[in-house]
């Protein structure tokens, strides 16, 4: 027997309609690419998204067509989020930090019909344009006054000109909630990027999670600085969740340096923010270089979501002590929309001493409702949820991919529908997960596994260390042993012996790195993760001092 409840489809357009009606004056604040701060409310965002939908319809865009973006976090990008998906087309957010040949591959693979881009990327688009076979026109996301003279991009249109003449009168179409809404390519370290195709239904269900207390806890009380890019895994679902609950959005545009981030947090009284560890390191550096700042008075941050790569303990502690901010350490991936686990505390943790509470916060968080998770050994057998055993993380759920766009990568689910994440972790009985590695980065020493991430976390706790990376290097007796690479903080030097002593007691003795190398820089992927494949290549012939002494 079926229930007798309406089955209104879960559509992205319903989010912006809700926000326009009930939070119409709640602000979306942008530091624009052109420079000045721009602000308007959800009502205007909805109206302009409708103007855009009218303009796209006139251009001949049909349901299912892909519309590419190369753009920062701005109100215009938000208008594309709602205008494109709302009309039934597919928003394809492209990561501009990828190599040009990857961008060209992605836009062609997705068969983008139009490409919307920010002024910053005009030189890049100028080079790419002749290679983009399916793109019929290019839209520069600026006004007439800022259109560059002498630009050679063909079929170039100005965004404000395109939508300015259109009516705000547009009725969002109704369609199946399983319809594709947006497309985001993973920035894998090997092979071509693969497309994850979200649906309206998956996006809406994920948004509910963003707005639950035990998800990201986003609500109408929040002023949220969204530093995580709109081109990286849907900015962790916040552009949609914010409309669902009417949160104020603060969008930093291209200015992600420490000063700009600090000033936006201060001026817009942000109590909530999200970003990868690297952006917070930049803000800390700015604070360090400006001791006259009154951080406690300026910054009202209550919650900071950190994900994308592991939040170092020292970062969680610093937010706690200096900013009185609670770090929600979160884990997920593009393939998971992206939320999987979020670092909220349980009642029993509330009375813990700070040090023990931070032990809990340092884990990647608790599994949210909507994501089933398990860890398995090499034979695929499920491992205990005891916080000790670590194995391959597998997930299943209504916002997790079931296959990449156009079938790339073949079958990605096992017979029971589990998706292998490529992460290695422990799970504890309360559902907290702790990543111990990427499956390909784990260091296999004499048949045992050493977590490169745990070692990195310990190393960045050393006062003179700015960033750390640990890779496995060939060792005649143990197959692999850890090599620690560190970048010193500006103006400081790292005393290797002191660092080694510092690490003792923080990790198991046999996990201690066999050597430490001080470097000027470390390679990163387009989403800010350490590019270990490159480091492994760079250090493949490195002779560990222990390699000769087969102890
Ligand atoms: P992406 O799809 O680019 O967001 O990358 C997803 C991957 O980033 C995950 O599979 C993890 O390996 C890594 N990742 C995300 N969040 C965290 C975290 N909090 N700690 C460690 N690794 C993370």
């Amino acid at each position: 027997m079926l229930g007798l409840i309406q089955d209104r489809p879960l559509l992205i357009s319903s989010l912006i309609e809700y926000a326009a009606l009930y939070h119409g004056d709640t602000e979306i604040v942008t530091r624009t690419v052109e420079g000045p701060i721009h602000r308007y409310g959800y009502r205007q965002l909805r109206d302009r998204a409708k103007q855009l939908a009218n303009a796209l319809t006139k251009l001949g865009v049909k349901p299912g067509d892909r519309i590419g973006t190369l753009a920062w976090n701005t109100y215009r990008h938000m208008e594309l989020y709602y205008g494109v998906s709302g009309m039934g087309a597919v928003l394809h957010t492209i990561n501009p930090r990828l190599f040009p040949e990857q961008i060209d591959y992605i836009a062609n693979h997705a068969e983008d019909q139009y490409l919307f881009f920010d002024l910053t990327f005009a030189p890049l688009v100028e080079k790419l344009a002749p290679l983009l076979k399916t793109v019929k026109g290019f839209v520069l996301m600026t006004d007439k006054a800022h259109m560059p003279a002498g630009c050679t991009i063909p079929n170039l249109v100005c965004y404000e000109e395109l939508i300015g003449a259109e009516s705000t009168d547009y009725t969002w179409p109704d369609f199946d909630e399983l319809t594709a809404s947006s497309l985001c390519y993973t920035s894998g370290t090997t092979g071509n990027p693969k497309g994850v195709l979200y649906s309206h239904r998956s996006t809406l269900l994920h948004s509910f999670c963003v707005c639950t207390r035990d998800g990201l806890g986003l609500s109408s009380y929040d002023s949220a600085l969204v530093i995580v890019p709109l081109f990286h895994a849907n900015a962790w679902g916040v552009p949609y969740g914010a409309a669902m609950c009417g949160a104020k959005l603060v969008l930093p545009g291209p200015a992600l340096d420490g000063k700009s981030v600090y000033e936006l947090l201060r001026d817009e009284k942000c109590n909530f923010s999200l970003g990868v560890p690297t952006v917070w390191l930049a803000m800390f550096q700015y604070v360090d270089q400006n001791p006259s700042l009154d951080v406690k008075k300026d910054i009202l941050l209550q919650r900071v979501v950190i994900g994308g790569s592991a939040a170092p303990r020292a970062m969680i502690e610093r937010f706690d002590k200096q900013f009185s901010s609670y770090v929600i350490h979160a884990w997920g991936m593009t393939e998971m929309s992206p939320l999987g686990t979020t670092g909220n505390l349980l009642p029993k943790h509330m009375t813990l001493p700070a040090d023990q509470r931070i032990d809990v916060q340092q884990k990647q968080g608790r599994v949210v409702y909507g994501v089933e998770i398990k860890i398995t050994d090499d034979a695929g057998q499920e491992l205990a949820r005891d916080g000790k055993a670590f194995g391959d993380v597998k997930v299943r759920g209504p916002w997790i991919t079931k296959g990449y766009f156009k079938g790339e990568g073949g079958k990605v689910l096992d017979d029971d529908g589990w998706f292998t994440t490529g992460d290695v972790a422990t799970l504890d009985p309360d559902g907290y997960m702790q990543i111990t590695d990427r499956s390909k980065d784990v260091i296999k020493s004499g048949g045992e596994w050493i977590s490169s991430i745990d070692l990195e976390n310990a190393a960045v706790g050393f006062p003179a260390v700015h960033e750390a990376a640990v890779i496995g290097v060939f060792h005649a007796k143990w197959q692999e042993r850890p090599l620690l690479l560190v970048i010193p903080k500006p103006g400081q030097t790292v005393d290797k012996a002191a660092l080694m002593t510092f690490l003792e007691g923080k990790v198991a003795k046999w996990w201690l790195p066999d050597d430490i190398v001080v470097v000027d820089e470390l390679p990163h992927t387009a989403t800010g993760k350490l590019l270990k494949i490159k480091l492994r290549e760079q250090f493949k012939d490195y002779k560990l001092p222990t390699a000769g002494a087969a102890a």
Side-chain angles (χ1 to χ4, degrees):
M1 195 193 310
L2 295 178
L4 290 171
I5 301 296
Q6 301 179 13
D7 58 353
R8 294 283 302 144
L10 300 172
L11 298 181
I12 286 173
S13 53
S14 69
L15 294 172
I16 194 59
E17 277 305 321
Y18 175 85
L21 258 176
Y22 302 111
H23 300 278
D25 295 325
T26 300
E27 283 181 322
I28 291 103
V29 181
T30 304
R31 188 193 296 282
T32 58
V33 179
E34 296 85 352
I37 298 286
H38 171 278
R39 49 183 84 232
Y40 68 12
Y42 276 107
R43 196 178 308 107
Q44 261 180 295
L45 168 54
R46 187 264 322 261
D47 288 351
R48 283 172 50 96
K50 288 190 165 190
Q51 287 179 289
L52 173 65
N54 275 325
L56 291 174
T57 307
K58 277 198 191 144
L59 287 175
V61 172
K62 300 267 174 314
D65 281 352
R66 272 78 67 201
I67 304 296
T69 63
L70 272 171
W72 301 110
N73 292 11
T74 70
Y75 65 101
R76 292 190 182 111
H77 207 175
M78 286 293 294
E79 290 162 9
L80 279 142
Y81 256 66
Y82 284 103
V84 172
S85 303
M87 71 180 290
V90 177
L91 182 76
H92 173 206
T93 53
I94 307 176
N95 184 343
R97 296 189 184 123
L98 293 171
F99 297 119
E101 52 276 22
Q102 284 178 312
I103 298 180
D104 147 23
Y105 167 85
I106 287 176
N108 280 317
H109 189 267
E111 299 175 59
D112 290 336
Q113 299 292 300
Y114 284 89
L115 183 65
F116 286 67
F117 64 100
D118 274 333
L119 272 168
T120 327
F121 307 117
L124 173 67
V125 175
E126 223 162 5
K127 280 197 206 104
L128 285 174
L131 306 171
L132 306 181
K133 300 184 190 83
T134 56
V135 175
K136 295 181 194 145
F138 296 86
V139 184
L140 184 42
M141 294 160 72
T142 191
D143 54 18
K144 199 174 168 194
H146 289 89
M147 287 298 281
C151 181
T152 61
I153 300 169
N155 303 323
L156 182 65
V157 181
C158 163
Y159 183 85
E160 291 300 332
E161 301 269 285
L162 176 72
I163 72 164
E166 296 300 331
S167 161
T168 57
D169 213 3
Y170 178 88
T171 307
W172 300 115
D174 257 2
F175 42 77
D176 188 333
E177 64 185 20
L178 294 174
T179 302
S181 58
S182 60
L183 176 64
C184 190
Y185 281 69
T186 58
S187 46
T189 45
T190 50
N192 279 324
K194 295 194 277 295
V196 179
L197 189 61
Y198 308 99
S199 70
H200 284 257
R201 173 187 154 85
S202 70
T203 305
L204 270 273
L205 293 176
H206 185 266
S207 305
F208 281 112
C209 177
V210 168
C211 297
T212 57
R213 165 67 178 76
D214 292 296
L216 293 184
L218 192 64
S219 79
S220 57
Y221 284 80
D222 289 322
S223 168
L225 177 66
V226 189
I227 308 180
V228 55
L230 264 68
F231 55 74
H232 182 200
N234 310 309
W236 301 347
V238 172
Y240 305 112
M244 178 176 268
C245 66
K248 171 178 167 180
L249 281 180
V250 183
L251 306 172
L256 303 178
D257 60 285
K259 180 171 188 283
S260 304
V261 166
Y262 186 93
E263 287 174 357
L264 269 186
L265 286 172
R266 181 192 63 200
D267 298 347
E268 299 306 324
K269 301 188 170 38
C270 297
N271 61 344
F272 183 74
S273 188
L274 316 90
V276 296
T278 337
V279 295
W280 300 120
L281 284 178
M283 189 186 74
F284 288 168
Q285 248 182 43
Y286 171 70
V287 170
D288 289 341
Q289 286 158 359
N290 294 276
S292 60
L293 291 172
D294 190 343
V295 173
K296 282 259 192 282
K297 182 168 150 274
D298 287 347
I299 306 296
L300 307 176
L301 268 181
Q302 289 164 345
R303 285 138 45 239
V304 184
V305 182
I306 305 183
S309 47
R313 186 181 185 95
M315 184 171 281
I316 301 175
E317 281 171 345
R318 183 155 181 191
F319 266 120
D320 200 66
K321 289 204 186 90
Q322 192 178 14
F323 295 79
S324 306
S325 312
Y326 177 82
V327 168
I328 302 177
H329 192 188
W331 166 86
M333 55 197 309
T334 308
E335 289 87 338
M336 299 174 67
S337 294
L339 288 184
T341 57
T342 58
N344 294 293
L345 298 177
L346 292 168
K348 67 179 178 186
H349 300 128
M350 297 301 177
T351 50
L352 285 178
D355 222 38
Q356 288 174 36
R357 170 173 48 82
I358 288 173
D359 287 346
V360 182
Q361 277 180 265
Q362 211 191 336
K363 295 191 169 197
Q364 269 73 10
R366 286 188 74 221
V367 185
V368 295
Y369 172 77
V371 175
E372 289 176 77
I373 199 162
K374 66 176 179 181
I375 47 171
T376 61
D377 63 15
D378 281 344
Q381 290 304 310
E382 186 165 352
L383 294 166
R385 293 162 192 259
D386 59 6
K388 292 191 187 80
F390 53 98
D392 289 315
V393 179
K394 296 187 177 161
V395 290
R396 192 162 77 166
W399 56 75
I400 293 163
T401 190
K402 60 178 176 184
Y404 293 103
F405 190 43
K406 296 186 173 173
E408 297 295 338
K411 188 169 173 266
V412 300
L413 305 185
D414 70 15
D415 290 344
D416 298 319
W418 293 94
F419 175 81
T420 302
T421 61
D423 287 313
V424 175
T426 62
L427 275 176
D428 75 14
D430 289 321
Y432 288 92
M433 186 187 74
Q434 183 153 28
I435 302 254
T436 53
D437 240 312
R438 283 296 289 169
S439 46
K440 54 188 182 309
D441 293 339
V442 75
I443 298 158
K444 296 186 174 165
S445 174
E448 299 286 340
W449 289 10
I450 296 176
S451 159
S452 65
I453 292 180
D454 281 4
L455 270 173
E456 285 156 12
N457 284 341
V460 290
F462 189 67
V465 170
H466 175 63
E467 198 182 358
V470 174
I471 52 167
V473 172
F474 174 76
H475 189 285
K477 177 169 180 193
W478 301 108
Q479 292 89 46
E480 265 183 3
R481 288 295 301 159
L483 172 67
L484 168 62
L485 310 165
V486 290
I487 306 181
K489 284 195 180 140
Q492 302 200 27
T493 47
V494 174
D495 176 340
K496 291 198 225 172
L499 172 53
M500 199 65 94
T501 313
F502 175 84
L503 293 175
E504 280 168 21
K506 296 203 166 49
V507 294
K509 195 159 183 295
W510 64 276
W511 280 29
L512 286 173
D514 283 28
D515 203 5
I516 299 173
V517 179
V518 178
V519 292
D520 293 334
E521 53 179 14
L522 290 167
H524 290 90
T525 67
T527 49
K529 297 185 216 313
L530 279 167
L531 193 51
K532 295 215 178 155
I533 194 164
K534 198 161 167 196
L535 284 176
R536 276 194 291 267
E537 204 177 283
Q538 201 178 328
F539 287 90
K540 71 177 186 309
D541 299 323
Y542 190 80
K543 292 271 172 299
L544 290 168
T546 53

